[in-house]
Amino acid sequence: MIELQKQFQPKARNICSACGKDVGVSKLVVAGNVNICFDCSDLAKEIADEKRKGIAETEINQIANTLSTTRDGNFDVDMAQALVYANRLYKAGYRKVE
Ligand SMILES: [Zn+2]
């Protein structure tokens, strides 16, 4: 019985570390100590892209707030215009250094 179970055990190198499916080594991306199947890799990329988009929106809003406010805290430029400039600055590569 134990011999039979061993015979049908999938090989670890064929299994996706994320979903646990036995997809075969040719359909896995090896990253460090993990094997990720193409589907999980695509899903991870989509999630990462969404998170990057959220981070970008937060930074753009922070830039727009800075642009639209004077040193004394009064509004200087209207927010819609500040967002246009903030988007341009962000696309040009400006990032706030923390
Ligand atoms: Zn997977």
Side-chain angles (χ1 to χ4, degrees):
M1 186 67 171
I2 292 170
E3 273 305 309
L4 197 64
Q5 283 177 338
K6 266 187 184 173
Q7 194 179 348
F8 292 107
Q9 283 288 321
K11 290 180 180 168
R13 66 184 177 144
N14 292 334
I15 297 174
C16 173
S17 305
C19 68
K21 288 181 188 164
D22 180 358
V23 296
V25 72
S26 65
K27 294 178 182 166
L28 287 168
V29 176
V30 179
N33 293 331
V34 295
N35 301 327
I36 304 170
C37 74
F38 293 164
D39 288 345
C40 287
S41 178
D42 291 343
L43 181 63
K45 172 81 170 91
E46 284 174 30
I47 294 168
D49 286 347
E50 277 301 309
K51 287 192 171 191
R52 282 189 191 102
K53 193 175 161 191
I55 290 167
E57 284 173 7
T58 300
E59 289 192 30
I60 289 166
N61 283 327
Q62 287 171 346
I63 296 167
N65 282 332
T66 301
L67 291 174
S68 69
T69 311
T70 63
R71 281 188 185 174
D72 0 336
N74 296 319
F75 284 106
D76 190 16
V77 178
D78 88 72
M79 199 54 174
Q81 196 60 45
L83 276 168
V84 170
Y85 291 133
N87 265 298
R88 289 180 188 162
L89 286 168
Y90 192 83
K91 283 180 183 160
Y94 172 83
R95 300 294 182 270
K96 190 174 185 177
V97 178
E98 300 284 334

